[in-house]
Amino acid sequence: MAMPQHGVRGEELMKKLMALCSRRGYVYASEPTKDGRVLYQYGPLGRELRRNILNEWSVSVLTTSDDVYGVESNGRDDSDSAGLRTPLARETLKHYLPTLELIGGKLPFGLAHCGLCADSRSQQQDSNKFVFNSDASQHMLLQYFTPPAGAEQVFAQWQRRRMLWWRKFARTPSNFTISESSRSAERGNPAHVRVSFQFPWGVDGVELLSNRGDVDLLELQTAAARSCEGKVGRKSMLPSLIEAATVLEQGMLAYLVDAYHEKERSDSKAARNVKEVLQLHPRLAPYKVAVALLPGTGTADQLRDVADYLSVELRKTGITMWHSREPGSLDSQCTKLDEMGIPYNIVLNDNTLKTGICHLRSRDTTLKEQVHIAELKNHLLQLMLAY
C-alpha cells in the first residue's frame, strides 16, 4: 500500500495503526492526565521493538566503530535554551574530559549515550501523532570529537552512515530523506542536517545531525578551568563536535508506519476483505518466529510438547519465538501473527508427529516450505543471517 498523504487518508491510517498497536500489545494509551495529556504504556511487543531499535542503534555507532565509547549518567537535564538540542547533550559532554584522559588524549573519538529525558517545552500534544511527542522519551545521542581541519568531511560521513542506517530497516527506504545543510559551521552558528520521514501527517524529523564546531568545548574549557585540547600526532588542538541525536519513540513510530500494510484478499465465499500486516524488518521484529498448531483428535498435547521443545532450542540461538497456545484455523492464527509483525510461522500438524516435517510460512510472501524439525534451527539461523 502506498504511503497515504496528508488529510483524511493519513488520519485514517493513524487510527488503524493505533488500534492495531493497542490490540496486539505494542502501545496502550492510558487515561489522560488532569491537563489532558495522554501517556503511553508499552506492552510485550512494544517493549521488544524498542529494545531491538536501541540495540541496532548501539551496534551502528559502537560495535562498528573502535573509537566510540558508551557512557551513562544518573542525572538528567531537561532544559535547553536552543530548543533544538537533546537534553542529553550536556550530560554526555561531562564525559569528554575523563574519556580524553583515559585514551591518552588522542583524537578523534566519540561518546554514545542513551537516556530517558523529560520534555519540559510547552507544546500542545497532538493525539493524531500518537507517541511522536511523548512527555518523556528515550533519547539516543552520539557526540564525535574530531580535528577541525577535517570536520566537514567527518560530518558528511556521519550523515551518510546515519541515512543508510534508517533506510536499512525500512520497507520503503525512500520514505526517509535528508535535508541539505544550509550554512557552514561557524563559531556559535552550527550547521544542522535533519533526517526526516514521510509520516501520514507530513514530513517530520527523526534525527538531527549537527556540526557544532568548538563552541561547546570552549564553554567546557572555561567551566572546567582546564584544557580541553586533544592530540593528533604531536599537535594539540581543540576538536570540533559532531552530534547525531534521535528519539526512540519517534523512530519506533516511523518504522511502525513504514511497516503497516494492507492486503486485499478473497475468502471462500469470494467476498473481498482487507488484511492488516506489520511488515517489520526481521532484525526489528519483536519475535522472529511463531508456532501455529493444527492438532487433530487427541494430538494437541503432543504438538504442544513439540512447540515447547522448539521454543527452548531456538532461544538458545537467540531467535525469539512467540509461543501461542490459542486454537483456531491456520488462517485465523496467521492473521493474528501477521498483525503482530512476526516474520516466520512454524506450522505443526499431525503429519509432523509422524514424519518430523513442519511447514515454515513467510509473513511477507505467505509461501510455505517444508522443513524437517531436526533442520529447522539451522535453517532459521541462515534466514536471520541473511538480514
Side-chain angles (χ1 to χ4, degrees):
M1 183 182 69
M3 174 61 61
Q5 300 302 314
H6 313 275
V8 177
R9 290 190 66 201
E11 292 178 4
E12 205 173 279
L13 181 143
M14 286 306 300
K15 287 179 181 178
K16 290 181 177 180
L17 179 61
M18 290 164 70
L20 185 148
C21 286
S22 177
R23 184 169 71 248
R24 297 307 182 202
Y26 276 93
V27 188
Y28 314 99
S30 63
E31 291 294 323
T33 60
K34 292 181 179 179
D35 59 358
R37 300 183 72 84
V38 178
L39 302 178
Y40 295 98
Q41 309 294 329
Y42 297 93
L45 274 71
R47 186 261 183 188
E48 289 300 309
L49 175 58
R50 287 165 59 85
R51 187 173 68 89
N52 290 345
I53 294 173
L54 184 57
N55 286 347
E56 292 296 337
W57 179 86
S58 296
V59 167
S60 72
V61 300
L62 282 169
T63 309
T64 59
S65 305
D66 59 6
D67 59 354
V68 179
Y69 310 96
V71 295
E72 292 184 6
S73 297
N74 291 324
R76 293 292 177 262
D77 183 359
D78 64 352
S79 61
D80 183 65
S81 57
L84 287 173
R85 211 172 174 201
T86 171
L88 209 58
R90 288 195 179 99
E91 290 296 320
T92 309
L93 200 59
K94 293 176 182 178
H95 293 273
Y96 172 78
L97 281 171
T99 307
L100 181 68
E101 183 178 355
L102 179 67
I103 62 175
K106 296 179 181 179
L107 297 173
F109 74 94
L111 299 172
H113 196 177
C114 302
L116 188 66
C117 297
D119 189 353
S120 60
R121 291 172 295 177
S122 58
Q123 60 173 354
Q124 185 175 359
Q125 190 180 44
D126 187 347
S127 60
N128 290 323
K129 290 188 176 183
F130 204 16
V131 297
F132 188 85
N133 51 5
S134 300
D135 283 344
S137 50
Q138 189 79 14
H139 288 228
M140 305 181 293
L141 176 68
L142 167 74
Q143 289 187 337
Y144 196 77
F145 307 92
T146 186
E152 286 295 331
Q153 182 180 358
V154 173
F155 186 38
Q157 289 171 350
W158 276 108
Q159 290 175 48
R160 288 193 293 272
R161 286 184 62 173
R162 296 305 304 142
M163 190 61 178
L164 286 172
W165 184 84
W166 284 105
R167 287 183 165 179
K168 175 181 178 181
F169 303 109
R171 185 172 67 91
T172 308
S174 60
N175 282 332
F176 287 97
T177 56
I178 192 165
S179 64
E180 295 295 328
S181 178
S182 58
R183 49 186 171 171
S184 60
E186 299 174 0
R187 180 164 295 177
N189 187 30
H192 297 296
V193 170
R194 193 178 296 275
V195 176
S196 300
F197 178 76
Q198 177 67 59
F199 287 97
W201 61 81
V203 176
D204 220 329
V206 291
E207 181 161 8
L208 182 68
L209 295 100
S210 308
N211 182 353
R212 298 186 57 83
D214 62 4
V215 61
D216 298 285
L217 279 304
L218 285 170
E219 291 179 0
L220 179 62
Q221 193 167 247
T222 300
R226 55 183 289 197
S227 174
C228 287
E229 291 185 346
K231 292 182 179 180
V232 179
R234 295 183 178 180
K235 293 183 178 179
S236 296
M237 63 194 69
L238 204 62
S240 290
L241 171 58
I242 309 296
E243 273 189 356
T246 189
V247 176
L248 178 58
E249 288 74 13
Q250 295 174 2
M252 175 184 176
L253 183 58
Y255 282 127
L256 284 170
V257 170
D258 176 77
Y260 183 84
H261 187 54
E262 291 183 341
K263 292 182 179 179
E264 285 192 353
R265 60 177 183 173
S266 299
D267 59 22
S268 58
K269 298 180 181 179
R272 303 186 73 183
N273 54 62
V274 174
K275 177 182 178 180
E276 294 177 297
V277 180
L278 271 186
Q279 206 167 322
L280 288 164
H281 191 284
R283 296 273 289 270
L284 300 185
Y287 292 87
K288 314 307 180 189
V289 64
V291 171
L293 302 181
L294 298 176
T297 305
T299 60
D301 289 341
Q302 291 174 283
L303 287 178
R304 278 194 286 268
D305 288 343
V306 175
D308 290 340
Y309 165 78
L310 288 174
S311 179
V312 172
E313 289 300 304
L314 291 177
R315 287 180 185 277
K316 288 178 182 178
T317 65
I319 298 176
T320 51
M321 188 179 100
W322 180 262
H323 194 349
S324 176
R325 297 177 181 272
E326 293 183 21
S329 66
L330 179 60
D331 184 66
S332 65
Q333 292 186 66
C334 288
T335 295
K336 175 182 178 179
L337 298 173
D338 287 351
E339 288 185 3
M340 293 170 68
I342 299 175
Y344 295 100
N345 303 334
I346 303 168
V347 183
L348 304 179
N349 54 28
D350 288 357
N351 190 55
T352 306
L353 299 175
K354 299 173 185 177
T355 65
I357 299 294
C358 66
H359 287 91
L360 186 64
R361 174 187 176 273
S362 167
R363 172 201 64 196
D364 299 338
T365 66
T366 69
L367 297 177
K368 296 190 286 288
E369 59 177 318
Q370 291 187 344
V371 184
H372 196 278
I373 289 289
E375 300 171 354
L376 185 60
K377 181 170 67 174
N378 288 335
H379 186 63
L380 282 169
L381 277 174
Q382 290 302 313
L383 289 174
M384 293 300 114
L385 287 174
Y387 298 105

Coordinates of all heavy atoms in Angstrom, one line a residue, residues 30 45 56 67 100 105 118 143 187 205 233 237 257 265 276 278 281 355 357:
S30 N -2.9 5.4 28.0 CA -3.5 5.4 29.4 C -4.5 6.5 29.5 O -4.8 7.3 28.6 CB -2.4 5.6 30.4 OG -1.8 6.9 30.2
L45 N 5.2 -6.6 23.0 CA 5.8 -6.5 21.7 C 6.4 -5.1 21.5 O 7.4 -4.9 20.9 CB 4.7 -6.7 20.6 CG 4.6 -8.2 20.2 CD1 3.9 -9.0 21.3 CD2 3.8 -8.3 18.9
E56 N 20.1 -2.0 17.7 CA 20.6 -1.8 16.4 C 21.3 -0.4 16.3 O 22.3 -0.3 15.6 CB 19.5 -1.8 15.3 CG 18.9 -3.2 15.1 CD 19.9 -4.2 14.6 OE1 20.9 -3.8 13.9 OE2 19.7 -5.5 14.8
D67 N 36.4 3.7 17.9 CA 36.8 4.9 18.6 C 35.6 5.6 19.2 O 35.6 6.8 19.6 CB 37.5 5.8 17.7 CG 36.7 6.2 16.5 OD1 35.6 5.7 16.3 OD2 37.2 7.1 15.7
L100 N 38.8 11.6 27.5 CA 40.0 12.0 26.8 C 41.3 11.6 27.5 O 42.3 11.1 26.9 CB 40.0 13.6 26.6 CG 41.1 14.2 25.9 CD1 41.1 13.8 24.4 CD2 41.1 15.7 26.1
G105 N 44.5 11.2 25.5 CA 44.4 12.5 24.9 C 44.3 12.5 23.4 O 44.4 13.5 22.7
A118 N 12.8 14.2 30.0 CA 11.5 14.8 30.1 C 11.5 16.0 29.2 O 12.5 16.7 29.1 CB 11.2 15.3 31.5
Q143 N 28.1 11.8 20.2 CA 28.9 13.0 20.1 C 30.3 12.6 19.6 O 30.9 11.7 20.2 CB 29.1 13.7 21.5 CG 27.8 14.4 21.9 CD 28.0 15.3 23.2 OE1 28.9 15.0 24.0 NE2 27.2 16.3 23.4
R187 N 31.6 29.6 14.2 CA 31.6 29.5 15.7 C 30.3 30.1 16.2 O 29.9 31.2 15.9 CB 32.8 30.3 16.2 CG 32.8 30.3 17.8 CD 34.2 30.7 18.2 NE 35.2 29.8 17.9 CZ 36.5 29.9 18.1 NH1 36.9 31.0 18.8 NH2 37.4 29.0 17.8
G205 N 10.9 15.3 11.3 CA 12.3 14.8 11.6 C 12.3 13.7 12.5 O 11.5 13.6 13.5
G233 N 48.8 13.2 16.6 CA 50.3 13.2 16.5 C 50.9 14.0 17.6 O 50.5 13.8 18.8
M237 N 45.1 20.4 19.8 CA 44.1 21.3 19.2 C 42.7 21.0 19.9 O 42.5 20.0 20.5 CB 43.9 20.9 17.7 CG 43.5 19.5 17.4 SD 43.7 19.1 15.7 CE 45.5 19.0 15.6
V257 N 4.8 2.9 11.1 CA 4.1 3.4 9.9 C 4.6 2.8 8.6 O 3.8 2.4 7.8 CB 4.2 5.0 9.9 CG1 3.7 5.5 8.6 CG2 3.5 5.6 11.1
R265 N -7.8 -9.6 0.1 CA -7.9 -11.0 -0.1 C -9.3 -11.4 -0.3 O -10.2 -10.7 0.1 CB -7.2 -11.8 1.0 CG -7.9 -11.5 2.4 CD -7.3 -12.4 3.4 NE -7.9 -12.2 4.7 CZ -7.7 -12.9 5.8 NH1 -6.8 -13.8 5.8 NH2 -8.4 -12.6 6.9
E276 N -4.6 -6.7 7.7 CA -3.6 -5.8 8.1 C -2.3 -6.6 8.5 O -2.4 -7.7 9.1 CB -4.0 -5.1 9.4 CG -5.2 -4.1 9.1 CD -5.7 -3.5 10.4 OE1 -6.1 -4.2 11.3 OE2 -5.5 -2.2 10.5
L278 N 1.9 -6.1 9.7 CA 3.0 -5.2 10.1 C 4.3 -5.9 9.6 O 4.8 -6.9 10.1 CB 3.2 -5.1 11.7 CG 2.4 -4.0 12.4 CD1 2.8 -4.0 13.9 CD2 2.7 -2.7 11.8
H281 N 11.0 -5.1 9.6 CA 12.2 -5.8 9.3 C 12.5 -6.9 10.3 O 12.3 -6.7 11.5 CB 13.4 -4.8 9.3 CG 14.7 -5.3 8.7 ND1 15.5 -6.1 9.3 CD2 15.2 -5.1 7.5 CE1 16.6 -6.4 8.6 NE2 16.4 -5.8 7.4
T355 N 6.2 -37.7 10.6 CA 7.3 -37.6 9.7 C 8.4 -36.7 10.2 O 9.5 -36.7 9.6 CB 6.8 -37.2 8.3 OG1 6.3 -35.8 8.4 CG2 5.7 -38.1 7.7
I357 N 8.2 -33.6 9.7 CA 8.1 -32.4 8.7 C 7.1 -31.4 9.2 O 6.0 -31.7 9.6 CB 7.7 -32.9 7.3 CG1 8.7 -33.9 6.8 CG2 7.6 -31.7 6.4 CD1 10.1 -33.4 6.5

